[in-house]
Amino acid sequence: MFTRTKKRSLTVGAVLLASAVAFTLAGCSGGSSSGSSTGGSADGVKIGLITKTDSNPYFVKLREAAQAQATKDGATLIALAGAFDGDNEGQVAAIENLVSQGVKGILITPNSSSGILTAIKSARDNGVVVIALDTATDPEDAVDATYATDNKAAGVTQGKWVKATLGSTAPALVMLDGTPGGTVDTFRHDGFLEGFGIAEGSSEIVGQENTNGDQTKAQTAMENLLQRAPGVNALYTINEPAAAGAYEAIKAAGKTAQVTIGSIDGSCTGVANVKSGIIGATVMQFPAKMAEQGVDAVVKYASDGTKPSGFNDTGSQLITDKPVSGLDSKDTTWGADNCWG
């Protein structure tokens, strides 16, 4: 997950060519790159990558890792992106574009979990293996496989750390959520409550707002919530930009010592914010692993016809300089060495 600020384009449905990188090995041109094949040589295989946008640091890291793995495997990577976060039509056009280019597999971070299913089905009907990265489709089996963070588990870790840090203090929790109905958003929210040890609607939740993961919206939401719930002492944030926005509101209210903030993402900015005390802890996810494993899966399919399947957890790691007993964590030095963005 990532910053969700939308950047509208006048050309709805346009596809941005983020990069088209030919890493074919010498003598590999003309290999088994037809999308209608069900297996064959891995040499010269074409792999499509479609991200939500081409500018978000999270997707930049994901694309760079996919390119590096394609180079290692001797494949050709064709990277496309939506024109803005939420550009479903652009991603549909990108799928059709890649199928026409004869890709063997498509890796996609769906802007809409359900809005691209028809295009995905058409690609799969043409023999293209389709893998979701980072964000699952709905239903999940609309693609051959998913490589992503187990966001429910990441939320559980986040909730456990915040609760343990509060200790015996009675919780007064505020939740800054993402986008209503988003699968990642829902998994993280539910996981946090499970880890924190309370149920939806519990009296310990003293405030809740949607922020779309946007820093400015989160700051405004927190300013309003502090008016209604001045005694808040625990804060859930959907991502690190939301945590940074909320912190500005909390600082302006003179309550930084009062509120424990937990977040998720693992960006280099987020880890730096943990180190400086803006965020108490974050749960790092690993976009590079998603891309590397996705590329490898397509190459294997091209080599021997083996299709990937199911949900494949690429892991998460709690990052904090305030460890708690019984919860595995790494410090911000480790976090800075393994962050993205």
Side-chain angles (χ1 to χ4, degrees), residues 142-207:
V143 292
D144 291 289
T146 301
Y147 292 81
T149 304
D150 182 338
N151 282 288
K152 179 77 176 294
V156 169
T157 300
Q158 181 186 13
K160 284 184 175 180
W161 181 84
V162 174
K163 184 63 167 39
T165 301
L166 280 181
S168 59
T169 302
L173 171 67
V174 161
M175 304 191 75
L176 293 183
D177 289 306
T179 302
T183 53
V184 170
D185 312 74
T186 301
F187 287 144
R188 289 183 180 185
H189 175 103
D190 292 349
F192 181 91
L193 291 180
E194 181 179 321
F196 200 80
I198 59 176
E200 191 74 55
S202 169
S203 60
E204 287 91 345
I205 303 173
V206 298

Side-chain angles (χ1 to χ4, degrees), residues 154 157-158 240 263-266 281-285 316-319:
T157 300
Q158 181 186 13
E240 291 161 355
S263 197
I264 302 182
D265 265 351
T282 192
V283 183
M284 179 178 286
Q285 53 185 342
S316 59
Q317 176 63 57
L318 179 66
I319 306 295

Side-chain angles (χ1 to χ4, degrees), residues 98-191:
L98 291 170
V99 172
S100 71
Q101 293 194 52
V103 298
K104 182 65 71 176
I106 294 174
L107 314 176
I108 183 168
T109 58
N111 266 317
S112 167
S113 295
S114 58
I116 55 170
L117 300 188
T118 299
I120 288 176
K121 182 179 184 304
S122 178
R124 296 178 72 188
D125 288 346
N126 277 280
V128 177
V129 67
V130 181
I131 297 172
L133 301 182
D134 178 72
T135 303
T137 54
D138 184 14
E140 192 173 289
D141 62 3
V143 292
D144 291 289
T146 301
Y147 292 81
T149 304
D150 182 338
N151 282 288
K152 179 77 176 294
V156 169
T157 300
Q158 181 186 13
K160 284 184 175 180
W161 181 84
V162 174
K163 184 63 167 39
T165 301
L166 280 181
S168 59
T169 302
L173 171 67
V174 161
M175 304 191 75
L176 293 183
D177 289 306
T179 302
T183 53
V184 170
D185 312 74
T186 301
F187 287 144
R188 289 183 180 185
H189 175 103
D190 292 349

Side-chain angles (χ1 to χ4, degrees), residues 1 3 57-58 240-241 264-274 279 282-285 335-336 338-341:
M1 189 119 157
T3 307
Y58 184 90
E240 291 161 355
I264 302 182
D265 265 351
S267 71
C268 295
T269 299
V271 171
N273 283 346
V274 173
I279 305 172
T282 192
V283 183
M284 179 178 286
Q285 53 185 342
N338 292 276
C339 62
W340 53 265

